[in-house]
Amino acid sequence: MDLTAARAEFEYDGVKKNPRVAYALWCLTGLFGGHRFYLGDTARSIAMLFTLGGLGIWTLLDVFFIARRVRTVNQSRRATIMARHGLVEVAG
């Protein structure tokens, strides 16, 4: 691995989100959107905060979507970092 790729991977490791943390936040602060704040979904977090998780409905549904949202956020962050370092990822 060359130095640029190693730097990019190091940078990505510093910003990637952990699904366990997201689920823990869902358990502790789900009604207030804590897991969404963690994932950077600020507008939805604020909506959950003021509606108590859509009266609990959004909170219950989120348990099924957290893992996918973490993957999506991480893929987006990785692609951004790789592009910034001039590296192109191969889909696969």
Side-chain angles (χ1 to χ4, degrees):
M1 182 181 290
D2 70 354
L3 188 57
T4 303
R7 284 182 183 164
E9 287 295 334
F10 181 74
E11 184 179 343
Y12 170 66
D13 285 340
V15 297
K16 72 180 175 183
K17 299 300 181 180
N18 186 331
R20 289 181 182 154
V21 172
Y23 276 109
L25 286 170
W26 176 83
C27 288
L28 298 172
T29 62
L31 283 176
F32 307 110
H35 57 293
R36 291 208 177 250
F37 278 111
Y38 173 69
L39 295 172
D41 298 332
T42 307
R44 290 182 180 168
S45 304
I46 292 171
M48 288 184 78
L49 180 66
F50 288 113
T51 63
L52 291 177
L55 298 178
I57 296 171
W58 289 344
T59 303
L60 289 175
L61 292 175
D62 270 356
V63 75
F64 300 107
F65 299 111
I66 289 174
R68 183 174 64 185
R69 183 66 185 139
V70 170
R71 273 192 309 274
T72 301
V73 166
N74 284 340
Q75 288 170 351
S76 174
R77 288 175 178 221
R78 183 169 164 63
T80 301
I81 290 168
M82 294 301 164
R84 185 173 344 146
H85 286 276
L87 303 171
V88 177
E89 290 190 296
V90 177

